[in-house]
Amino acid sequence: MHNTLLTIITFIFVFGILVFVHELGHFFFAKKSGVLVREFSIGMGPKLVAFRRGTTSYTIRILPVGGYVRMAGAQEDESDELQPGTMVTIQTNAANEVIRLNASQKKQTLFQGIPVQISEVDLVDGLWIKGYENGDETEIKTFNVNHDATIIEADGTEVQIAPKDVQFQSAKLWQRALINFAGSLNNFILAIVVFAIIGLLQGFVPSNSTTLGHIVDNSVAQKAGLKEGDAIQKVADQPVKNWTELQTMLQSRPGKETKLVVKQGSMTKQITLTPATIKSNGQKFGQIGVQQVVKRNISDRLLYGFSGAYTTAANVLHALANLFHGGFSLNKLGGPVAIFANTEQAAKAGFISVLLLLAFLSINIGIVNLLPIPALDGGKLLLNFVEAIRRKPLSEDKENMVQIAGFIFLMLLMFAVTFNDVIRYFIK
């Protein structure tokens, strides 16, 4: 029970930071570009907490598996369209402009609110409401709406209306592209900071050279004659320039006889060994039982922020490149269930392991979000690129079709990955 609670708390902590930092990137650059951010949400589903600061409503929602920045006029923004016949309550200022509009079905009242049955409304260009006041159907009245008016939506969340001049599409193309890229940018920055913290806390950082550190007793490496201080230059006739390449090559050869070119002191020699086969998450990896050389000076520990992030990014990109190598398999992907399972292992291993998981996931999310798939940030950047080439955006209908197709694809993939993860981690 204690371990489960610790895992849940750690999962919410890790996922909460990842979502907050990612969405904060979109939020910051949207604000700087003059785009109205109507809502900043952590979590999905029904809201637990909501409050307003300035022109933005901040909400925490019940499901800790995502979040969003709701920018005026963007794909994620819900329409404020009020259908004819809808009953609302409005609140006006001294100039008789509507400053608050209650469209909620919940029992919320506005001070000195005026009941109005909507006949027509324009909250984007003209900024007016037409309707019957207090049930009097003999006269249609027109109410001007203040540019900064707010609307209480069906679920009770109060957000600012979205006039045309503060909508996402009103920003310059380069600003919209920067807003779309900013979430991943923040994830990369977070990973750099976390890796630097790890270096400072643990007192040492791994070197990315191909020089061997500790050799595990009775390991494949020790039995083959490898020693601490040896530098591996080639694996299976392929040159390796750093630890990442060395590790990748060895992991790709489980149970396969492998020739190494090794520099021992002033001599270069060939050593043949067979990496042991290690199974993890339904996949097989080669392992010979060697560890990296570690560095302990303060500058290397701080610079580990960059080197650790770079190494992790290279590994993620390599994994993406090999996603279809040897046949596509859902076991090569992981969703929230896989993250939860890895969080459980990290929580048991200690705080440093949790930080490593946080940094890895931050790089992972940053890169995956930049893939040119509709509904991801990379898909939006692709549309920005198409707009730059065409010198005009796609029509709203075509863009919506692309985004909907991408969303359906991602939902189907997420369902398949989650189902596969449940079988992998909890049934088999």
Side-chain angles (χ1 to χ4, degrees), residues 106-128:
K106 298 183 178 182
K107 293 182 179 180
Q108 296 194 35
T109 58
L110 299 180
F111 178 69
Q112 295 183 339
I114 303 170
V116 175
Q117 184 178 8
I118 297 292
S119 60
E120 291 181 77
V121 62
D122 182 354
L123 298 178
V124 175
D125 297 305
L127 301 182
W128 46 257

Side-chain angles (χ1 to χ4, degrees), residues 347-391:
K348 290 177 181 177
F351 186 59
I352 296 293
S353 294
V354 172
L355 290 180
L356 284 169
L357 177 66
L358 173 61
F360 168 75
L361 289 177
S362 195
I363 290 286
N364 205 307
I365 289 173
I367 291 175
V368 170
N369 259 285
L370 292 179
L371 294 178
I373 299 174
L376 293 178
D377 293 335
K380 297 172 185 176
L381 284 167
L382 180 61
L383 291 177
N384 294 148
F385 179 73
V386 170
E387 181 179 341
I389 298 297
R390 299 176 73 241
R391 297 185 180 276

Side-chain angles (χ1 to χ4, degrees), residues 229-247:
D230 289 354
I232 298 179
Q233 298 177 329
K234 291 184 179 181
V235 177
D237 295 324
Q238 296 294 317
V240 287
K241 301 181 184 66
N242 53 55
W243 187 269
T244 303
E245 292 182 2
L246 171 62
Q247 185 180 46

